[in-house]
C-alpha cells in the first residue's frame, strides 16, 4: 500500500503524551470543577477536556475549587503522575 498524494496523514499521528486529553471536567451547580475519566458514564458529554497537567493543576487548587468523581476515581491514575512543571502555569 502506498499513501495517496495530496492527503494529510498527520491527523493519524497520536499527540505527544503532554498534549493528550484524558480527562473531562464539568462545572457543578456550586461552581466547583469535577474531574472524570473520559469514559465515565457519570460525566457529561459537554464538559471541557483536560490534559494530565491541566487536571493536576486544577486539583492542586483544593477541594473548594475542584474534586474528582467518586465513581470513576481518576485520582488513582493522577496520583501516579509527576507534578506539572512550574513554568507551565
Amino acid at each position: 500500500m502506498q499513501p495517496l498524494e495530496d492527503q494529510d496523514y498527520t491527523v493519524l499521528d497520536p499527540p505527544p503524551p503532554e498534549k493528550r486529553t484524558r480527562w473531562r471536567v464539568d462545572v457543578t451547580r456550586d461552581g466547583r470543577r469535577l474531574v472524570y475519566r473520559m469514559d465515565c458514564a457519570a460525566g457529561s458529554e459537554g464538559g471541557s477536556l483536560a490534559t494530565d497537567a491541566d487536571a493536576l493543576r486544577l486539583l492542586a487548587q483544593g477541594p473548594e475549587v475542584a474534586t474528582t468523581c467518586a465513581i470513576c476515581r481518576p485520582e488513582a491514575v493522577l496520583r501516579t503522575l509527576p507534578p506539572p512543571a512550574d513554568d507551565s502555569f
Side-chain angles (χ1 to χ4, degrees):
M1 245 197 242
Q2 295 292 331
L4 298 173
E5 289 183 29
D6 300 325
Q7 292 296 314
D8 180 16
Y9 292 101
T10 59
V11 297
L12 300 176
D13 293 331
E18 65 276 2
K19 301 277 186 186
R20 290 184 191 140
T21 53
R22 300 197 303 168
W23 315 104
R24 186 172 304 282
V25 180
D26 286 341
V27 179
T28 62
R29 289 183 184 172
D30 63 0
R32 292 188 315 152
R33 305 301 191 266
L34 197 53
V35 178
Y36 297 92
R37 292 178 190 244
M38 288 287 284
D39 60 348
C40 181
S44 75
E45 292 290 320
S48 61
L49 302 179
T51 64
D52 292 343
D54 295 336
L56 287 170
R57 278 191 213 98
L58 185 60
L59 293 168
Q61 296 178 40
E64 58 281 343
V65 174
T67 189
T68 57
C69 173
I71 297 169
C72 66
R73 303 191 42 179
E75 72 275 6
V77 173
L78 288 166
R79 82 169 58 111
T80 66
L81 301 174
D86 289 339
D87 62 345
S88 58
F89 279 99

